[in-house]
Amino acid sequence: MSKSEVVQDVKKKRGIIKAIGSVLFAIIASSHHWVHTLLIALGLTTLSSGLLSLSPSTKIIFLLVSLVISAWFIRVAKRKWSYDRPAAWVYLISSIISIILVITSLPQAISAVIPPSQQQQQTQQQKDIHGH
């Protein structure tokens, strides 16, 4: 292997490392919004205490808006894919994480809106009576 081939091989490897590093850095740099979303979802911030006290229907509206915006950003990632792939990866990964957080939170919010059936209420009352 000649010296120029070795230099080209090293430059090629550095280019791959730089590309992977830039994508990872972009994901980490943009991750603050879903880290905050996770903290809010877990109730670990003062904002989350205010959001947790909202009516269940308002929570559902916020979750659905978040879902729509995340889906829209997936479309943005798809459009950016051909000319700005690192940014597209960031949009895609952030949107997927946001969608997962919303989907895991939505059933609890919906169950708070739908009243339990009469049978479930009687069962709960019996448990309360026997528990005390």
Side-chain angles (χ1 to χ4, degrees), residues 1-131:
M1 198 178 251
S2 72
K3 185 177 178 180
S4 64
E5 289 174 336
V6 171
V7 170
Q8 287 177 347
D9 189 41
V10 169
K11 285 183 180 181
K12 190 179 195 181
K13 287 180 182 177
R14 283 186 186 163
I16 291 171
I17 291 171
K18 285 181 182 179
I20 292 170
S22 67
V23 170
L24 290 176
F25 182 72
I27 289 170
I28 292 168
S30 70
S31 66
H32 72 278
H33 81 276
W34 51 263
V35 169
H36 286 261
T37 304
L38 180 62
L39 291 173
I40 290 169
L42 295 175
L44 300 176
T45 65
T46 55
L47 173 64
S48 63
S49 63
L51 290 175
L52 292 175
S53 66
L54 292 174
S55 70
S57 56
T58 306
K59 289 180 198 175
I60 291 173
I61 290 170
F62 279 142
L63 290 170
L64 291 176
V65 168
S66 179
L67 194 62
V68 168
I69 291 171
S70 295
W72 180 66
F73 275 113
I74 288 177
R75 288 190 58 202
V76 170
K78 186 178 175 182
R79 281 188 265 136
K80 284 184 170 283
W81 192 260
S82 61
Y83 64 91
D84 193 4
R85 194 155 296 181
W89 273 111
V90 171
Y91 280 112
L92 182 67
I93 292 171
S94 296
S95 296
I96 289 172
I97 291 170
S98 296
I99 289 170
I100 290 170
L101 288 172
V102 168
I103 288 175
T104 57
S105 300
L106 205 52
Q108 181 182 4
I110 291 173
S111 67
V113 171
I114 299 172
S117 68
Q118 184 69 23
Q119 184 179 6
Q120 289 174 336
Q121 288 177 353
Q122 289 174 351
T123 306
Q124 183 64 34
Q125 288 173 353
Q126 290 173 354
K127 286 180 185 178
D128 290 342
I129 291 170
H130 295 299

